Amino acid sequence: VPLKAVLGTYTQRQTFAPRAPLELLSLEDVKAGLSEGRINVFFQPKVSVADRSLIGVEALVRWRKLDGNLIPPAAFLPVVEENGLIDEMTDQVFQKAVSAMAAWSLAGLSIKVAVNFSVESLTRYEVLDLVHSAIEREGVDPQNLIIEVTESRIMEDVTAPLEILTRLRMKGIGLSIDDFGTGASSMQQLKRIPFTELKIDRAFVAGAPTDDEARAMLESSVALAKRLGLTTVAEGVETKEEWHLIAELGVDVVQGYFVARPMPSEDLLAWAQRNGDVSA
Ligand code: C2E
Ligand code: MG
Ligand code: MG
Ligand code: MG
């Protein structure tokens, strides 16, 4: 997908500035921003299909420009990843996510928090220290943490991140295979990693009501996940029709604009109160 197309959809979404620039951030900006605390994290609810209760959130990185406007990950992640800055960004995002989790927990909201990790950082042992120290500092339960890794990236080489993913899992952290269906997983490779959750890519959710192939892909992904004992999550559910279809197929968890858009950590408690997950 061309970057312009990706960013084009963002400019129509209220989460971002209506006139967000359509180009990548420069390396200079990215370096400066990382040291100046320009990294922000938004959180998007994941709810149970059975009763709409809040199960957890996904942490999604955003870049705050000097004028206050927010920039989506597509405009800076490639720059971060290609210039050896991903560990630093992941560290900042993870710390913010874990500290938000601790704050919600104090306010009576105990939920799972999922953080996206780039596969490159999962080949370096430093990532274990980063994760461990944030957990210790905030005193959170690792069982409530999930690390999401994109299927297409992990399938390029399963062996390299296998040991670190296994160690994270042994700490109690959940492992989620993200954007499932886009990466041509080999079943043989897939089952080497101790995943706990499978997130079905939005493309199959969006296509399913009208497109038989998307629906077949959706149904077989759900069946596979169930056979492997994984929690199933449908991402990008935008309409009531999609919600009903997902419910019919027996998906466990939904994340998407139909439920809620990503929001700042301060807004999540109020959202959970309105949703009935925590008393006001
Ligand atoms: P992802 O992990 O698959 O995250 C879901 C993306 O779908 C998010 O885009 C979210 O805002 C968007 N989304 C959620 N519900 C809907 C919906 O109903 N409709 C539509 N059209 N979109 C929906 P976002 O925040 O732009 O993130 C894009 C990708 O950037 C993420 O995809 C993830 O791969 C990556 N990313 C985000 N945060 C981080 C991070 O902290 N670290 C790393 N390494 N990657 C990240
Ligand atoms: Mg994700
Ligand atoms: Mg995803
Ligand atoms: Mg996705």
Side-chain angles (χ1 to χ4, degrees):
V1 187
L3 183 65
K4 272 212 166 156
V6 174
L7 296 178
T9 61
Y10 273 104
T11 57
Q12 292 151 25
R13 304 287 178 197
Q14 295 145 1
T15 319
F16 297 104
R19 276 191 214 113
L22 296 181
E23 73 267 7
L24 283 174
L25 292 185
S26 71
L27 177 57
E28 231 180 7
D29 283 351
V30 167
K31 277 189 177 159
L34 275 172
S35 56
E36 289 161 10
R38 215 70 67 62
I39 292 285
N40 273 248
V41 181
F42 272 38
F43 297 90
Q44 187 178 30
K46 293 163 92 172
V47 303
S48 158
V49 177
D51 61 6
R52 287 199 185 216
S53 60
L54 181 65
I55 288 178
V57 289
E58 178 176 19
L60 294 162
V61 69
R62 271 96 184 87
W63 190 273
R64 195 176 293 279
K65 290 208 305 172
L66 287 172
D67 64 9
N69 284 338
L70 292 174
I71 310 253
F76 58 87
L77 260 186
V79 182
V80 170
E81 288 184 338
E82 282 158 26
N83 292 283
L85 301 167
I86 189 65
D87 290 353
E88 185 172 350
M89 193 200 83
T90 305
D91 196 11
Q92 291 191 28
V93 171
F94 192 75
Q95 285 198 37
K96 284 181 200 287
V98 172
S99 90
M101 181 178 174
W104 294 325
S105 168
L106 280 177
L109 185 64
S110 178
I111 50 171
K112 291 189 182 268
V113 175
V115 182
N116 294 284
F117 275 54
S118 295
V119 76
E120 305 85 285
S121 37
L122 295 166
T123 59
R124 286 189 286 275
Y125 286 101
E126 287 82 351
V127 80
L128 294 170
D129 301 332
L130 165 174
V131 166
H132 185 72
S133 57
I135 289 174
E136 291 286 298
R137 189 177 317 113
E138 300 291 345
V140 299
D141 183 353
Q143 308 267 3
N144 284 336
L145 279 164
I146 298 174
I147 287 176
E148 296 192 6
V149 203
T150 301
E151 184 201 23
S152 56
R153 301 293 299 280
I154 201 111
M155 286 305 144
E156 287 164 12
D157 179 7
V158 172
T159 306
L162 180 62
E163 184 183 349
I164 285 172
L165 284 170
T166 305
R167 286 183 187 227
L168 290 165
R169 182 68 199 113
M170 283 163 65
K171 282 182 192 281
I173 297 171
L175 301 179
S176 181
I177 182 158
D178 204 353
D179 300 331
F180 189 80
T182 61
S185 270
S186 128
M187 291 304 116
Q188 205 61 37
Q189 299 296 351
L190 184 66
K191 63 177 212 243
R192 291 171 67 194
I193 300 176
F195 285 114
T196 55
E197 180 183 272
L198 182 148
K199 295 185 83 171
I200 300 158
D201 192 68
R202 169 173 155 64
F204 305 105
V205 175
T210 52
D211 172 353
D212 283 346
E213 279 174 17
R215 191 183 166 116
M217 186 61 206
L218 190 61
E219 284 177 8
S220 50
S221 302
V222 174
L224 172 72
K226 288 194 182 289
R227 276 302 285 276
L228 297 174
L230 308 179
T231 303
T232 48
V233 181
E235 63 178 17
V237 171
E238 291 187 353
T239 67
K240 204 199 297 178
E241 290 68 35
E242 289 167 6
W243 173 286
H244 286 311
L245 176 67
I246 288 300
E248 206 179 289
L249 296 179
V251 171
D252 304 310
V253 176
V254 160
Q255 178 183 350
Y257 297 161
F258 182 65
V259 176
R261 282 167 192 269
M263 61 186 90
S265 65
E266 311 86 79
D267 294 353
L268 190 81
L269 266 182
W271 186 89
Q273 279 163 4
R274 288 197 301 277
N275 196 51
D277 299 291
V278 63
S279 46

